[in-house]
Amino acid sequence: MPLSIQVSDGSPGTVRIALDGSLDSETTPELEKTLRSVAERMPRIAFDLQRLEFISSAGLRAIFATVKRQKAHGGEVALSNMSPGVRKVFEIVKALPDMRVFSSTEELDAYLAKFQ
Amino acid sequence: MSDARTAVLRLQGDDARVGDALDAVRSFAGEARLPPELIQDVLVVVDEVVANALRHGCFQGREPEVEIRLAIQDGALELRFSDNASPFDPLSVADPALDRPVEARQSGGLGLFLVRSLTDAQRYAREDGRNVLILRRSITL
């Protein structure tokens, strides 16, 4: 199962990255490449996971590396629309407290609107 | 080759793809009508074990080869992985420090922690010059 990545500018200082498909050992390098090209010192990176069907530890590591880079310059990482299966993997490794998590796009939009 | 109860998959060579293993397991699990949540868990496990073997295994000039056997029996899914890399017991890897924030953690051990968390029984053996990892996960329908 492939991974498709869609990058769009959100509100000022935010880049949105929508993931569709499977974020696994095979496909995660594509996301890492995208992150290197778009995310240089951006205050907020928001991952829209609505269409993400699967995440493995490789995908987790890519997102955790993003959290680390973001926090190093005072930025943050937001996740929205996680399916129960994807959420479960984040929960097992106790990662959700370190990110901003939104259950819907509307919630995420409301948060990002504060930075307009 | 597979029916609804058993399947064997072999990945060979330097261009072996983890994605092929995931697609084969998706197909097997779908045919066997395993619950979607269990399929997700099993895919996390397969991704980790196969990627570990292919990417970090030490094959010392041998062509890499990983075999995956899936069997449904006695209300459980058994996953048997074997590879021809140098001896390595993945169950010996220490758990990551999950009490620390994500940005302060070392990256190692995360996937194998998930493997242990998502299966009910784990056993490693070195047999006939191969690493053999047998994992069981009960099927609750």
Side-chain angles (χ1 to χ4, degrees), chain A residues 39-45 65-77:
Chain A
E40 193 76 9
R41 299 190 71 79
M42 188 62 87
R44 286 167 297 281
I45 297 178
T66 307
V67 172
K68 191 171 187 171
R69 279 196 302 273
Q70 285 297 96
K71 290 197 175 176
H73 64 74
E76 63 183 7
V77 170

Side-chain angles (χ1 to χ4, degrees), chain A residues 25 56-58 60-61 89 92-93, chain B residues 41 43-54 56-57 81 83 88-98 106-124 133-135:
Chain A
S25 291
S56 76
S57 65
L60 285 182
R61 278 191 290 272
V89 178
I92 291 173
V93 300
Chain B
D41 293 353
L43 288 170
V44 172
V45 168
V46 170
D47 182 284
E48 179 61 27
V49 176
V50 174
N52 248 345
L54 289 177
H56 305 300
F81 299 88
D83 67 64
F88 171 68
D89 176 2
L91 303 178
S92 68
V93 175
D95 284 348
L98 298 181
Q106 303 289 321
S107 61
L110 189 71
L112 292 168
F113 177 76
L114 282 165
V115 169
R116 286 191 289 268
S117 301
L118 295 171
T119 53
D120 300 304
Q122 309 85 21
R123 187 161 61 85
Y124 167 83
L133 180 67
I134 298 173
L135 306 171

Side-chain angles (χ1 to χ4, degrees), chain B residues 20-50:
Chain B
D20 290 341
L22 297 176
D23 287 340
V25 172
R26 282 188 180 104
S27 164
F28 169 80
E31 277 176 37
R33 297 177 185 279
L34 294 174
E37 191 195 330
L38 183 138
I39 297 175
Q40 292 279 324
D41 293 353
V42 168
L43 288 170
V44 172
V45 168
V46 170
D47 182 284
E48 179 61 27
V49 176
V50 174

Side-chain angles (χ1 to χ4, degrees), chain A residues 39-54:
Chain A
E40 193 76 9
R41 299 190 71 79
M42 188 62 87
R44 286 167 297 281
I45 297 178
F47 290 100
D48 178 355
L49 306 183
Q50 187 159 26
R51 293 177 182 276
L52 187 68
E53 293 185 28
F54 174 71

Side-chain angles (χ1 to χ4, degrees), chain A:
Chain A
M1 184 186 287
L3 173 72
S4 115
I5 305 169
Q6 196 172 2
V7 179
S8 56
D9 293 328
S11 47
T14 302
V15 62
R16 288 183 187 239
I17 302 176
L19 303 178
D20 181 339
S22 178
L23 187 57
D24 54 46
S25 291
E26 198 73 54
T27 60
T28 293
E30 296 165 38
L31 175 62
E32 289 168 335
K33 198 171 149 195
T34 301
L35 286 166
R36 278 195 297 274
S37 67
V38 302
E40 193 76 9
R41 299 190 71 79
M42 188 62 87
R44 286 167 297 281
I45 297 178
F47 290 100
D48 178 355
L49 306 183
Q50 187 159 26
R51 293 177 182 276
L52 187 68
E53 293 185 28
F54 174 71
I55 187 166
S56 76
S57 65
L60 285 182
R61 278 191 290 272
I63 290 179
F64 293 176
T66 307
V67 172
K68 191 171 187 171
R69 279 196 302 273
Q70 285 297 96
K71 290 197 175 176
H73 64 74
E76 63 183 7
V77 170
L79 305 177
S80 69
N81 298 304
M82 270 185 278
S83 69
V86 168
R87 175 179 275 270
K88 177 179 177 180
V89 178
F90 279 96
E91 283 175 347
I92 291 173
V93 300
K94 299 184 168 69
L96 293 180
D98 300 313
M99 284 165 255
R100 289 197 180 271
V101 180
F102 301 94
S103 57
S104 67
T105 306
E106 291 72 29
E107 273 187 23
L108 173 66
D109 287 345
Y111 173 71
L112 294 178
K114 289 194 246 171
F115 302 101
Q116 298 280 6

